[in-house]
Amino acid sequence: MAERVVLIDGTAMIYRAFFAIPSNFSTGDGLPTNAIYGFALMFRKVLAGKTPALGAVVFDAKGKTFRDEKYPKYKANRPPMMADLRRQIPWVHRVVAAHDFPILTVPGYEADDVIGTLTRRAVALGHEVHIISGDKDFAQLLTPKVKMVDTMRDVTYDPELAKKKWGVPPSQFVDMLALVGDKADNIPGVPGIGKKGAAKLLDTYGSLDAILENVSALKGRQKKNLEEYRDDALMSRELATIDQHVPLDALAEELAEEAGFDDQVTLPVLEDDLSGLTLTPPDIKKVDALYQELEFFSLLSEGAGKTEVELTLADTLEDIGGAVAKLKEPVAVWFMMEGAWNEGELLGVALSDEETRATYVPVSGKSDHLAALAPFFESPLRKTVHHARDMEALLRRRGITLRGVDVDPALASFLVEPVKNIPHRIDQVARGYLHRALPQEKSVTGSGKGAIPLRDVETERLAEFAGQHVTALFELRDQMLAELDEAGQREVFENVSMPLASVLARMQVDGVRADPAVLAKMGEEFGERKRAIEAEIYEHAGKTFNIGSPKQLAKVLFEDLELPVIKRTKTGYSTNAEVLTRLKGKHPIPALVLRQRALDKLINTYTTVLRDAIREDTGRIHCTFQQTSGMSGRLITTDPDLQRTPIRTPDGRRIREAFLPADGMVMISADWSQVELRVMAHVSEDEALTTAFREELDIHRRTAAQIFDVAEDKVTKEQRGVGKTVNFATIYGQGGRALGQNLGVPFKEATRMIEAYFEMYAGVREWLTDIVEDAYANGYVETVLGRRRYISELSSNNSADRSYGERIATNTPIQGSAADLCKLAMLKMAARFREEELATKMLLQIHDELVFEAPPEEVERATAIIRDCMENAFPLSVPLVVDVGTGASWAEAH
């Protein structure tokens, strides 16, 4: 019977994991675990879904192979294995063994050869083979029944995709390597022959042997080098060829001994039918025990560390009253929800004031039960609630005010380490800090076609599920407060994050009014213009095609019109915005496609999505303000995402015409002027930058004058635009290449502009250097409020990751501090509106802008409060300037 056989290139996977995961991953006693953890993640990905019938993880043998005997320089350019990686290999073997996956290694051969031999045997038996690796050498084995799966890049290579990727079919792959060589393995090849040249020769003659037989027909350097390096080409082919006849009866028994875990690692007995590679489901307890030992708490299976809970079901008003009366603070509260806060159904509420005891109150269809809980919700009793913002909004929609919430583990987890446990769900936080795996929703609803709605689950099962969650919440309270104290984040948590959650809850419930008719009319207009542009594109192309298909568009641009190829992807030619922008001057179609895409995005991302998001009962859009998603600390809006409401183009700005105040009210928009640059001036203490802001000079004009070496009064509008771009490029850590692409100027000119900038603002350069050095030393950076972001990328073994980490290090203190200022201002305004009993409402927070609606008689007072709170949000060394506008719509007010 044909089965799927999974063969994992274990050695390659270990190396990829080691370089992909930051090197600061380690256990409490100092064992480095980045390679083990990365391997475990990739291994889990391989086993996700249906378990294959047969499989093995294959490792390179210790010592020399037959290739080293043939060519002593083979792989000689590779550095010796790092000590930290070597320490982890036995533990990787244990990860494999814990999953009951066969392990193979054969002395004198590489993993590739063992995998090649198993592949040949499996195909002969009629099986389909999946080789798990990113090593291009396996391309030579690909057939309709053999595929290579690159789990890191989520790409599955078959013969067709392999040919697109490497330029030749699998049958010619080894001959191509024989010609071009392989730097990674130190295979020499033939000098002067590149991939294109090799592919052309192989297309013409079919094989290396045929090329060498017809070398006299060639000309110039190709002929000379093929004659001179004939033996190198033949040897290179031999080195690059995977041996598919490895003596598998010579499995290396020393693998288990070397690992030092003889009782865990055993080698399979291989029969001709490969039955020794039969896979069975692993013992989850054994896997969990190993992951506990390695402190991989995020990988624990559901139920690991499960707490036995004494559960009470309170299903009468008398029971509810009795349960609530007995509660002593602090109380953990878990809301059993079907759906989101703004449209879902509240099924029940679980309460706990002890680690092993909980009460569950079903409330679905029982309004009297919820009413009976209202006095508890509105009491000052201290409460622990996960995602308190949404739960407060949930109850507000039902006429109940949630009070007394002083700990939200999601917000605490985000402050302690924002990048860990993203997006800080209760199950993630419990795994990370309690080492406890909570049951998933599918454990009670089922999964796949047989899944049932949560509301249809028996009350007893819902109660048990909620009991596990609420007791975990109770246990998390003290743990997270201790973590906050240790991280120095307790003050920010109590004075900013927790009170802001309540402000955001009110904003979510209030929502913002939007006119569906305006959006519909705008969508129709954009649609008509889009269709007209498409017709123009078809006319220029001389045919109709799917403009939204990158493949079809690429064919028109690069094959039919023969425009220059700017960038390639894994599957063909890139047609992204950067490519189209660079091609605009060479043909009308690229510019037209950019306009067509812009209109398409406005229709599908805004006019349609926003219209669908308007609630019929309120006529308003009620988005969710996420506090734990933006790594810099910025608030992010979802369902729908209003943060991305466009303002850069005239068409984009028109979207804001549909946002209106309530009848009889006025819209107010308040926007900080250049807040991030002002924060930069504050943290860098650069004299020129701080002077410019203190004296209210035009900072963009000033920078442009420096860049273009002209007097400030001679700076043109276009030059000022360049100055603005360069000013903000420093915040985002852009180098000459990125800036050049952004401005459409050569790399050299962009680099000159950056140097000119730093000549004027030397203090900024010094700060950027210092902040990166501090980040390497501390592992984190801080905002003006002392909020930290840990940057694991700085400890990566990959230079690209470290470069990205350095950009985070320079960007986060600026963007994060701007986010801090906004949160402080919002808290101050909410308090002032409440103190002065104003009907003015804060509706939206969009980057550096806040949007309100106010009765006409309150506009003057509200505007004064808004300006005062925003300009005095935090004592910077330079003034904060706020632009405030009013109008009958968001567009008019902004």
Side-chain angles (χ1 to χ4, degrees):
M1 181 177 174
E3 300 283 7
R4 180 158 64 91
V5 182
V6 170
L7 302 174
I8 300 172
D9 184 355
T11 300
M13 195 178 281
I14 288 175
Y15 272 97
R16 294 184 87 184
F18 181 73
F19 287 104
I21 304 294
S23 58
N24 62 349
F25 269 58
S26 62
T27 60
D29 60 4
L31 172 70
T33 56
N34 59 326
I36 313 167
Y37 182 73
F39 187 96
L41 285 177
M42 288 190 272
F43 200 64
R44 169 178 279 201
K45 196 172 186 179
V46 170
L47 297 178
K50 186 179 178 182
T51 303
L54 302 164
V57 180
V58 186
F59 295 97
D60 284 343
K62 192 176 182 181
K64 297 191 178 217
T65 70
F66 71 93
R67 292 183 181 86
D68 297 295
E69 301 298 330
K70 291 180 185 293
Y71 184 57
K73 294 181 181 179
Y74 179 68
K75 293 189 177 180
N77 56 347
R78 294 195 179 185
M81 184 182 290
M82 299 180 192
D84 277 357
L85 176 55
R86 189 178 298 281
R87 285 182 66 190
Q88 298 181 64
I89 288 178
W91 290 90
V92 171
H93 295 161
R94 280 193 67 184
V95 169
V96 179
H99 286 84
D100 291 328
F101 224 85
I103 297 177
L104 303 178
T105 186
V106 179
Y109 294 90
E110 295 180 61
D112 298 20
D113 303 310
V114 180
I115 289 171
T117 302
L118 292 171
T119 297
R120 178 183 59 79
R121 283 197 188 184
V123 170
L125 292 167
H127 299 316
E128 179 189 66
V129 178
H130 282 193
I131 299 170
I132 312 301
S133 180
D135 188 344
K136 67 181 184 305
D137 292 348
F138 288 115
Q140 62 189 277
L141 301 180
L142 301 184
T143 70
K145 299 201 75 172
V146 180
K147 296 180 173 65
M148 180 175 75
V149 183
D150 186 340
T151 55
M152 186 168 284
R153 295 183 173 88
D154 285 326
V155 178
T156 298
Y157 291 98
D158 58 12
E160 183 182 356
L161 186 56
K163 183 178 179 182
K164 285 183 180 178
K165 172 76 173 177
W166 291 291
V168 295
S171 60
Q172 294 179 336
F173 187 79
V174 172
D175 285 351
M176 184 195 74
L177 288 182
L179 291 167
V180 303
D182 187 346
K183 288 183 179 178
D185 291 343
N186 208 32
I187 295 175
V190 178
I193 296 183
K195 289 182 182 178
K196 287 185 179 179
K200 191 171 182 181
L201 286 170
L202 289 168
D203 187 52
T204 302
Y205 295 103
S207 68
L208 174 64
D209 290 332
I211 293 169
L212 295 176
E213 285 173 11
N214 292 278
V215 72
S216 60
L218 301 176
K219 296 178 182 179
R221 192 181 181 194
Q222 272 191 347
K223 178 182 178 181
K224 179 179 179 296
N225 286 359
L226 280 166
E227 288 175 340
E228 185 177 346
Y229 295 96
R230 174 190 181 91
D231 291 344
D232 280 1
L234 293 171
M235 181 189 65
S236 295
R237 180 171 66 179
E238 197 172 351
L239 294 173
T241 300
I242 290 175
D243 188 340
Q244 293 183 260
H245 295 84
V246 173
L248 295 178
D249 54 353
L251 295 177
E253 293 294 341
E254 69 266 17
L255 178 70
E257 297 170 13
E258 181 186 332
F261 304 108
D262 295 1
D263 55 333
Q264 285 101 352
V265 179
T266 56
L267 299 175
V269 177
L270 283 181
E271 306 291 347
D272 289 341
D273 61 359
L274 299 184
S275 59
L277 302 186
T278 300
L279 299 177
T280 56
D283 181 344
I284 297 301
K285 289 183 179 178
K286 187 165 68 173
V287 176
D288 280 337
L290 177 59
Y291 285 166
Q292 287 272 13
E293 189 176 357
L294 289 166
E295 300 173 19
F296 294 170
F297 304 119
S298 64
L299 299 184
L300 295 176
S301 66
E302 185 178 315
K306 182 178 178 180
T307 298
E308 292 301 319
V309 177
E310 180 189 332
L311 188 66
T312 301
L313 182 64
D315 204 7
T316 68
L317 293 177
E318 185 179 354
D319 289 343
I320 296 169
V324 169
K326 292 177 185 176
L327 290 173
K328 55 185 183 298
E329 63 178 353
V331 183
V333 187
W334 177 258
F335 294 83
M336 201 70 215
M337 285 288 299
E338 173 91 271
W341 70 270
N342 55 352
E343 57 186 4
E345 181 181 356
L346 179 59
L347 304 176
V349 178
L351 309 169
S352 175
D353 58 4
E354 289 186 21
E355 288 184 11
T356 59
R357 190 174 71 182
T359 299
Y360 182 74
V361 181
V363 300
S364 179
K366 301 179 179 183
S367 57
D368 56 337
H369 284 195
L370 189 60
L373 287 172
F376 161 73
F377 288 134
E378 296 183 339
S379 74
L381 213 64
R382 287 180 295 132
K383 304 173 182 70
T384 304
V385 178
H386 201 76
H387 289 317
R389 175 203 63 242
D390 287 352
M391 298 308 104
E392 182 177 337
L394 169 88
L395 291 177
R396 276 185 175 277
R397 286 188 57 227
R398 290 159 174 78
I400 299 171
T401 302
L402 180 61
R403 293 191 174 92
V405 179
D406 64 339
V407 174
D408 178 342
L411 295 180
S413 174
F414 179 77
L415 281 176
V416 169
E417 195 169 347
V419 182
K420 182 181 177 183
N421 299 320
I422 300 169
H424 305 276
R425 297 191 311 265
I426 178 66
D427 60 313
Q428 294 168 312
V429 180
R431 282 176 194 261
Y433 295 102
L434 302 180
H435 313 154
R436 176 174 167 184
L438 295 175
Q440 300 294 302
E441 201 171 284
K442 65 183 179 183
S443 68
V444 292
T445 62
S447 57
K449 293 181 180 178
I452 61 173
L454 205 57
R455 69 178 71 88
D456 293 340
V457 176
E458 299 93 331
T459 300
E460 290 74 14
R461 294 193 69 198
L462 283 182
E464 185 180 346
F465 179 91
Q468 286 291 324
H469 283 71
V470 77
T471 52
L473 262 184
F474 183 86
E475 195 176 349
L476 274 168
R477 179 190 179 90
D478 288 343
Q479 177 69 36
M480 296 316 300
L481 289 176
E483 296 283 349
L484 286 165
D485 285 335
E486 187 175 344
Q489 300 297 305
R490 182 76 171 260
E491 188 176 348
V492 176
F493 177 75
E494 293 180 344
N495 297 333
V496 180
S497 296
M498 286 305 303
L500 184 67
S502 190
V503 171
L504 295 173
R506 289 194 291 274
M507 291 170 66
Q508 288 181 181
V509 174
D510 288 340
V512 59
R513 183 183 174 193
D515 190 332
V518 172
L519 290 168
K521 185 178 179 182
M522 211 176 290
E524 289 173 10
E525 179 199 325
F526 292 157
E528 288 176 10
R529 285 166 51 193
K530 177 173 166 267
R531 287 187 290 274
I533 290 172
E534 288 169 348
E536 198 174 344
I537 291 171
Y538 298 146
E539 185 178 344
H540 283 292
K543 64 178 183 181
T544 59
F545 63 98
N546 182 358
I547 300 169
S549 163
K551 189 173 181 180
Q552 292 187 36
L553 177 60
K555 185 178 184 304
V556 169
L557 295 176
F558 306 116
E559 294 179 17
D560 299 349
L561 299 176
E562 297 183 345
L563 295 178
V565 175
I566 305 294
K567 193 176 183 182
R568 292 181 184 271
T569 65
K570 295 168 189 170
T571 56
Y573 307 112
S574 172
T575 59
N576 64 17
E578 177 194 333
V579 168
L580 294 177
T581 300
R582 291 172 65 179
L583 291 173
K584 279 198 301 187
K586 300 184 183 298
H587 194 277
I589 285 182
L592 289 169
V593 172
L594 286 170
R595 287 166 56 195
Q596 184 260 4
R597 285 182 182 176
L599 288 168
D600 186 68
K601 184 175 182 179
L602 288 174
I603 295 166
N604 294 312
T605 309
Y606 301 108
T607 59
T608 301
V609 170
L610 294 178
R611 194 167 74 244
D612 292 344
I614 300 170
R615 286 184 64 96
E616 289 186 15
D617 56 340
T618 66
R620 299 170 83 90
I621 292 173
H622 301 268
C623 64
T624 299
F625 292 93
Q626 303 288 355
Q627 290 174 271
T628 60
S629 296
M631 295 303 97
S632 68
R634 280 186 177 275
L635 297 176
I636 291 176
T637 54
T638 58
D639 307 315
D641 182 2
L642 296 180
Q643 295 280 5
R644 297 183 184 273
T645 307
I647 57 170
R648 294 184 181 276
T649 65
D651 281 336
R653 286 192 290 273
R654 287 181 56 197
I655 298 294
R656 299 187 175 205
E657 294 174 7
F659 289 85
L660 309 171
D663 288 338
M665 303 279 268
V666 175
M667 205 73 123
I668 302 174
S669 168
D671 196 357
W672 270 295
S673 172
Q674 303 164 341
V675 64
E676 290 179 350
L677 291 175
R678 293 170 190 272
V679 171
M680 173 66 88
H682 174 79
V683 297
S684 70
E685 299 179 348
D686 180 86
E687 188 176 348
L689 203 55
T690 53
T691 299
F693 284 123
R694 286 170 181 166
E695 296 181 2
E696 299 182 8
L697 303 176
D698 186 332
I699 191 68
H700 300 321
R701 180 175 295 278
R702 241 189 152 198
T703 300
Q706 170 73 5
I707 289 171
F708 294 105
D709 194 21
V710 297
E712 287 187 38
D713 59 354
K714 301 296 183 184
V715 171
T716 66
K717 181 180 178 182
E718 290 73 21
Q719 288 174 330
R720 184 184 183 277
V722 172
K724 180 177 181 180
T725 301
V726 174
N727 275 330
F728 284 105
T730 59
I731 293 173
Y732 300 113
Q734 287 186 356
R737 193 167 307 283
L739 180 62
Q741 289 176 355
N742 200 1
L743 291 174
V745 300
F747 168 75
K748 190 174 181 180
E749 173 62 10
T751 303
R752 185 199 64 77
M753 289 180 178
I754 292 173
E755 285 303 312
Y757 174 90
F758 285 126
E759 281 179 22
M760 186 173 198
Y761 306 115
V764 172
R765 168 174 272 170
E766 186 178 346
W767 178 82
L768 291 170
T769 301
D770 290 346
I771 198 69
V772 170
E773 288 180 359
D774 289 346
Y776 272 111
N778 302 323
Y780 62 82
V781 291
E782 291 185 330
T783 67
V784 291
L785 288 186
R787 198 165 42 77
R788 291 179 184 174
R789 177 173 180 181
Y790 289 85
I791 309 173
S792 60
E793 290 84 355
L794 294 177
S795 60
S796 172
N797 294 304
N798 184 296
S799 60
D801 288 343
R802 291 196 301 275
S803 294
Y804 176 61
E806 290 175 7
R807 291 195 295 275
I808 293 173
T810 57
N811 177 250
T812 298
I814 307 300
Q815 278 202 340
S817 295
D820 287 351
L821 299 185
C822 193
K823 292 173 183 177
L824 291 172
M826 291 171 74
L827 288 170
K828 289 181 178 182
M829 280 182 270
R832 293 277 295 276
F833 291 161
R834 189 168 56 251
E835 289 166 5
E836 301 194 23
E837 299 182 348
L838 298 183
T840 299
K841 291 180 179 179
M842 189 169 3
L843 306 179
L844 295 175
Q845 187 275 324
I846 307 293
H847 300 306
D848 304 328
E849 180 183 7
L850 290 162
V851 181
F852 311 79
E853 63 180 14
E857 65 275 13
E858 287 185 10
V859 168
E860 186 177 348
R861 182 63 192 140
T863 298
I865 291 173
I866 292 166
R867 188 183 297 279
D868 180 50
C869 292
M870 291 179 72
E871 290 185 346
N872 296 288
F874 185 86
L876 296 185
S877 60
V878 297
L880 285 168
V881 176
V882 179
D883 299 319
V884 183
T886 61
S889 69
W890 185 9
E892 192 176 305
H894 183 72

